Amino acid sequence: MTHDHDLVLRPTPAQTEAALNPPPGRNGGDLVVETLAGLGATTVFGLPGQHALGMFDALRRSDLRYIGLRVENNAGFAADAYGRITGEAAPLLLSTGPGALTSLAALQEAAAASAPVLAISSQIPTAGLGGGRHGYLHELPDQAASFRGVVKSVHTVRTQSQIPSAIAAAWKSALTAPHGPVWLEIPQDVLLASTALPMVTAVDATPDELAPRPELTAVAADLLSRAARPAIIAGGGVVRADASGKLRQLAERLDAPVVTTFGGKGAFPWTHPLSLQSWLEDRHTTDFLEDADVLLVVGSGLGELSSNYHTFKPRGRVIQIEADLGKLESNHPALGIHADARLALQALLETARERTDPTAPERVRNLLTRVSQRIAAQELTLEQDVLTSVRRALPADSPSFWDMTILAYWAWSAFDPRNTNLMHSAQGAGGLGYGFPAALGAAAADPTRPVLAVSGDGGALYSVAELATARQYGLNVTWLIVDDGGYGILREYMTDAFGQATATELTRPDYVALAESFGVPGVRTSPRTLETDLAKALAEPGPSVVVLPALLRMFAPTHLGTA
């Protein structure tokens, strides 16, 4: 009788030969890249630095493709997007101290969005570790401590023999639900020292499955089957679990209207008769969800944005499916089911009874009409026209990456992503500078389709150095920069709160001339010509920049009780 724990990975004859006769000139860095290749990685992102040179030297002896960005934080954003698009753990190679710390904001976004990033950093030489003040370049008393509150797990290597297992453990952690960034660090001398260890040829890091408890899904299925007015909130967990098909099947079986969170864009078809779309920052939607007698929340923690700034107060029974244990019932009491969204939805499909509600599509239409009427009363034609032009210009199967800018805030609520896993933004952690470097990572993941990045002029200034990256690698990204002369949303917030804005106005470059100085085509457009100019730029291979001078406004919020 054979037990699962008796099974081992057995090397092929070629792998055995490579292990017994490894090529000369290998060091600890080779163990890193060999392990990554053994795990299935094909592309790595990063930035070299003095302590990390052993890893980067080893890259030239490997088949891994390297995409080097100009700022570590941007390299982290690129890896984040690569992980979101592919579902693979994206390796991010960094150096010690300032290089490592510069990646923190990107890793926070990856953590908030559950993007699988495998960050591998160098460390000062082993002799300098332990918290003493030895005076090494880039020395920190405890570098890993800076990351423990940000990433999903931290892994430490002190000898070469630890490298394959530590990387495999980190890889498994990054890809076990909930996905997320992980941190691993290796001292400089360990990376540089020659190694007599055999080549790494067989690595197993299969992620654990997070299955729901059957007694919980049985109760949930019964509640949903007997509900009078069920509704569903679909979050980013549905997208990450590739569970949008199962969500649609369940919604149709229950005749349950579905709203997607901003992180869950594309989890449910935008024009489906049961689609409430994404108007979560609208009191009409909040009222609709509060009226549900059974509310199924899948892959969302119902945080600030998803709860209309915590004004949402459900009156019915809440069922919450969430892979992140810390988010389970963190904002509302619920029947909490700690599980991967795909596995939990499959369990509900196997047990929920069909219910029919002919009024559901009509109630959905009425809600969307009220939302539309509220927006129409605010005279925001320019903003709606610009967003419509972007949607028409962008191919239906192209991904888009949105920075923290007014047009992105509109897109969260009003943009039809056309499909799952195509629209991404930095709304998880809310940092500036995400859109363009993230789009570069997506283009590296799939060069067959154009990618759109959207930034304001303030956010664009975080990322202009990556025009060199886009040009160097010929990445197929069109960057739309909406230039309103400053931090537009902060200008609006401060004017509303204090009567005038402070520190929001910016001197900025001629973005078209700047792009062209990098060898990247640029064009200045207008709201009238945006659709044509953007479509033309997206149709041309390689990077391009489209600059739209426009002062956009946000629709009035409803959580303040004023609209």
Side-chain angles (χ1 to χ4, degrees), residues 37-61:
L39 288 165
T42 58
T43 302
V44 301
F45 301 87
L47 208 68
Q50 178 175 324
H51 291 142
L53 294 181
M55 284 193 294
F56 284 83
D57 176 61
L59 280 175
R60 66 183 173 86
R61 293 186 290 278

Side-chain angles (χ1 to χ4, degrees), residues 324-524:
D324 187 336
L325 189 61
K327 293 180 180 178
L328 206 61
E329 293 191 82
S330 60
N331 286 304
H332 299 282
L335 174 65
I337 302 175
H338 183 215
D340 175 77
R342 182 179 182 86
L343 298 177
L345 286 170
Q346 178 60 39
L348 292 178
L349 281 170
E350 292 172 359
T351 49
R353 301 182 301 278
E354 186 171 356
R355 64 176 297 278
T356 302
D357 181 2
T359 71
E362 181 181 0
R363 289 189 291 118
V364 168
R365 287 194 300 271
N366 289 341
L367 168 66
L368 294 178
T369 298
R370 290 196 297 272
V371 172
S372 177
Q373 290 171 344
R374 185 179 79 83
I375 299 300
Q378 297 175 41
E379 299 181 358
L380 296 165
T381 303
L382 170 63
E383 291 75 8
Q384 294 179 85
D385 287 349
V386 167
L387 197 62
T388 298
S389 294
V390 173
R391 179 60 277 174
R392 288 176 176 168
L394 183 66
D397 63 344
S398 282
S400 58
F401 290 82
W402 304 70
D403 216 326
M404 299 297 285
T405 186
I406 287 177
L407 188 60
Y409 302 158
W410 271 92
W412 291 350
S413 295
F415 193 76
D416 176 3
R418 297 278 173 92
N419 213 327
T420 188
N421 202 30
L422 286 183
M423 179 181 171
H424 300 275
S425 71
Q427 57 91 23
L432 278 173
Y434 174 81
F436 186 52
L440 298 180
D446 183 359
T448 66
R449 52 185 177 171
V451 182
L452 174 67
V454 180
S455 300
D457 55 289
L461 289 172
Y462 278 67
S463 308
V464 289
E466 305 310 337
L467 284 167
T469 302
R471 181 71 179 85
Q472 179 173 347
Y473 297 101
L475 295 170
N476 199 12
V477 174
T478 293
W479 191 8
L480 173 62
I481 302 174
V482 182
D483 185 355
D484 66 2
Y487 300 121
I489 193 65
L490 299 180
R491 178 195 292 137
E492 197 167 297
Y493 288 161
M494 293 187 78
T495 301
D496 289 346
F498 311 118
Q500 62 182 23
T502 304
T504 59
E505 307 312 300
L506 297 174
T507 297
R508 63 267 185 227
D510 179 337
Y511 286 106
V512 172
L514 180 65
E516 291 174 344
S517 74
F518 283 93
V520 174
V523 62
R524 186 172 285 100

Side-chain angles (χ1 to χ4, degrees), residues 209-214 216-218 220-221 224 237-238 241-251 253-254 296 298 321 337 339-353:
E209 284 197 340
L210 186 57
R213 288 165 43 200
L216 295 176
T217 54
L224 290 165
V238 177
D242 192 21
S244 57
K246 294 186 182 300
L247 173 68
R248 178 173 180 168
Q249 290 179 55
L250 183 64
R253 177 175 298 182
L254 298 171
L296 174 63
V298 190
I321 297 168
I337 302 175
D340 175 77
R342 182 179 182 86
L343 298 177
L345 286 170
Q346 178 60 39
L348 292 178
L349 281 170
E350 292 172 359
T351 49
R353 301 182 301 278

Side-chain angles (χ1 to χ4, degrees), residues 51-371:
H51 291 142
L53 294 181
M55 284 193 294
F56 284 83
D57 176 61
L59 280 175
R60 66 183 173 86
R61 293 186 290 278
S62 80
D63 293 327
L64 295 176
R65 177 178 59 155
Y66 171 65
I67 304 291
L69 286 93
R70 302 318 194 253
V71 184
E72 288 86 354
N73 197 47
N74 293 335
F77 285 144
D80 165 303
Y82 188 95
R84 295 193 199 195
I85 290 292
T86 64
E88 301 169 4
L92 172 64
L93 306 186
L94 302 169
S95 192
T96 320
L101 296 177
T102 302
S103 72
L104 273 168
L107 294 176
Q108 184 188 4
E109 174 58 40
S114 295
V117 175
L118 173 54
I120 303 177
S121 165
S122 58
Q123 248 290 18
I124 60 174
T126 307
L129 299 177
R133 296 179 63 85
H134 303 281
Y136 284 97
L137 181 71
H138 304 333
E139 181 179 300
L140 290 167
D142 185 357
Q143 178 175 276
S146 300
F147 295 85
R148 287 194 181 96
V150 176
V151 299
K152 185 178 176 184
S153 60
V154 171
H155 306 259
T156 302
V157 166
R158 292 294 177 260
T159 67
Q160 289 184 346
S161 62
Q162 296 173 0
I163 289 174
S165 293
I167 292 177
W171 181 280
K172 180 176 180 177
S173 175
L175 289 176
T176 294
H179 294 175
V182 297
W183 181 259
L184 186 146
E185 57 183 36
I186 309 172
Q188 178 191 29
D189 53 323
V190 176
L191 290 170
L192 288 175
S194 61
T195 184
L197 293 171
M199 289 187 66
V200 183
T201 57
V203 188
D204 182 20
T206 305
D208 294 330
E209 284 197 340
L210 186 57
R213 288 165 43 200
E215 73 274 17
L216 295 176
T217 54
V219 172
D222 183 63
L223 288 170
L224 290 165
S225 300
R226 293 188 294 106
R229 296 176 311 282
I232 300 173
I233 298 177
V238 177
V239 176
R240 290 185 292 274
D242 192 21
S244 57
K246 294 186 182 300
L247 173 68
R248 178 173 180 168
Q249 290 179 55
L250 183 64
E252 290 174 347
R253 177 175 298 182
L254 298 171
D255 262 349
V258 180
V259 66
T260 61
T261 70
F262 305 149
K265 298 283 287 187
F268 194 73
W270 188 258
T271 57
H272 192 284
L274 294 172
S275 175
L276 299 169
Q277 300 179 359
S278 300
W279 289 97
L280 283 168
E281 289 188 42
D282 190 287
R283 189 64 220 178
H284 295 309
T285 303
T286 306
D287 291 341
F288 188 101
L289 296 173
E290 287 182 348
D291 185 56
D293 62 334
V294 179
L295 181 67
L296 174 63
V297 183
V298 190
S300 172
L302 292 181
E304 184 177 35
L305 297 179
S306 301
S307 63
N308 201 358
Y309 296 90
H310 296 298
T311 60
F312 170 57
K313 307 294 181 186
R315 295 191 295 270
R317 187 74 181 269
V318 177
I319 302 164
Q320 185 185 13
I321 297 168
E322 176 56 57
D324 187 336
L325 189 61
K327 293 180 180 178
L328 206 61
E329 293 191 82
S330 60
N331 286 304
H332 299 282
L335 174 65
I337 302 175
H338 183 215
D340 175 77
R342 182 179 182 86
L343 298 177
L345 286 170
Q346 178 60 39
L348 292 178
L349 281 170
E350 292 172 359
T351 49
R353 301 182 301 278
E354 186 171 356
R355 64 176 297 278
T356 302
D357 181 2
T359 71
E362 181 181 0
R363 289 189 291 118
V364 168
R365 287 194 300 271
N366 289 341
L367 168 66
L368 294 178
T369 298
R370 290 196 297 272
V371 172

